[in-house]
Amino acid sequence: MDLTRFQQQLKGTSSKARPLPPVEKWEPDFCGDINLTIALDGRWFYEGSPIGRASLVQLFASVLKREDENYFLVTPVEKVGITVEDTPFLVTQWQKEKGERTDDDVFTFTTQTGDEIRLEHAEQLELRVPPKAIQDPQATPIPYVNVRRNLWARLHQNVYYQLLEHADEHANESVTSFSIRSSGKRFILGEVAR
């Protein structure tokens, strides 16, 4: 698979002004795997070299599709497999917007590819143990945010620590939890056994 040819097939399919392409409706033939990796730190690599053009990464991110635990870049005519070390997205920025009432405040997360996620529904955030820490029995689950469809983002460590500074602390006999309120709902960022 030639990355340049793949890019040509995508010409005109995505821009900030237009909605994302309907990749969930595209069912092209599988053309094999390409040597494209999304690293744990959110950087994209092709043939072992980082992809330096942000616009190219954004274009490829717009046609990313996940089936079970496998990731693909798809066009209407081709589907190629790629490697994702954890999640394809990394939340690198956040902001809190004031609502009309205190409990209406909304947290918005931004990924390394420019995707914005408003935290509004309980199923948008879940705690997971990162893959490199799964074997560690002491590993602490961290927040992951649903970006779109079944594509997720991990919170960058700096973002996570900043959010913890704004978190409310709740304790019971067995656990202390840290949470934020967004869109009138409580979202747990982490828990510590007591």
Side-chain angles (χ1 to χ4, degrees):
M1 152 61 29
D2 178 12
L3 203 57
T4 305
R5 191 179 82 208
F6 194 80
Q7 184 180 1
Q8 289 298 319
Q9 291 174 8
L10 295 175
K11 222 175 207 62
T13 61
S14 178
S15 83
K16 292 288 183 191
R18 289 190 296 272
L20 291 165
V23 298
E24 65 278 359
K25 295 179 182 176
W26 295 343
E27 293 297 334
D29 290 335
F30 179 65
C31 300
D33 293 328
I34 61 171
N35 189 3
L36 192 145
T37 300
I38 304 174
L40 191 63
D41 65 6
R43 292 184 299 157
W44 292 52
F45 292 86
Y46 180 64
E47 298 288 334
S49 297
I51 300 175
R53 289 182 34 214
S55 61
L56 187 57
V57 170
Q58 290 170 348
L59 176 65
F60 290 152
S62 74
V63 294
L64 189 60
K65 185 175 187 178
R66 180 177 170 195
E67 296 174 358
D68 298 319
E69 296 304 313
N70 300 308
Y71 292 88
F72 304 93
L73 297 180
V74 295
T75 71
V77 296
E78 282 188 292
K79 173 177 164 181
V80 295
I82 66 169
T83 301
V84 178
E85 292 182 351
D86 182 14
T87 60
F89 302 105
L90 186 67
V91 172
T92 56
Q93 299 174 30
W94 67 277
Q95 68 178 29
K96 182 179 176 182
E97 301 167 2
K98 288 286 183 195
E100 292 177 18
R101 300 177 309 181
T102 304
D103 66 349
D104 282 343
D105 292 350
V106 178
F107 281 84
T108 301
F109 301 123
T110 305
T111 69
Q112 87 281 20
T113 58
D115 290 280
E116 291 187 356
I117 307 103
R118 289 175 53 91
L119 194 56
E120 299 173 320
H121 307 287
E123 64 275 3
Q124 285 180 277
L125 189 139
E126 63 182 45
L127 299 179
R128 300 182 190 169
V129 174
K132 298 224 178 208
I134 287 178
Q135 302 301 328
D136 180 2
Q138 303 298 319
T140 304
I142 60 173
Y144 284 71
V145 179
N146 185 260
V147 176
R148 62 180 174 269
R149 297 182 288 271
N150 59 348
L151 300 173
W152 290 78
R154 186 181 72 257
L155 267 62
H156 186 280
Q157 187 173 359
N158 292 341
V159 169
Y160 183 45
Y161 289 150
Q162 290 167 12
L163 288 174
L164 285 174
E165 290 178 9
H166 294 272
D168 297 320
E169 186 175 330
H170 304 275
N172 62 30
E173 308 81 43
S174 60
V175 72
T176 299
S177 63
F178 300 90
S179 64
I180 55 174
R181 289 191 67 77
S182 183
S183 301
K185 296 173 184 66
R186 182 173 169 237
F187 294 88
I188 296 185
L189 298 176
E191 297 179 323
V192 179
R194 297 183 72 174

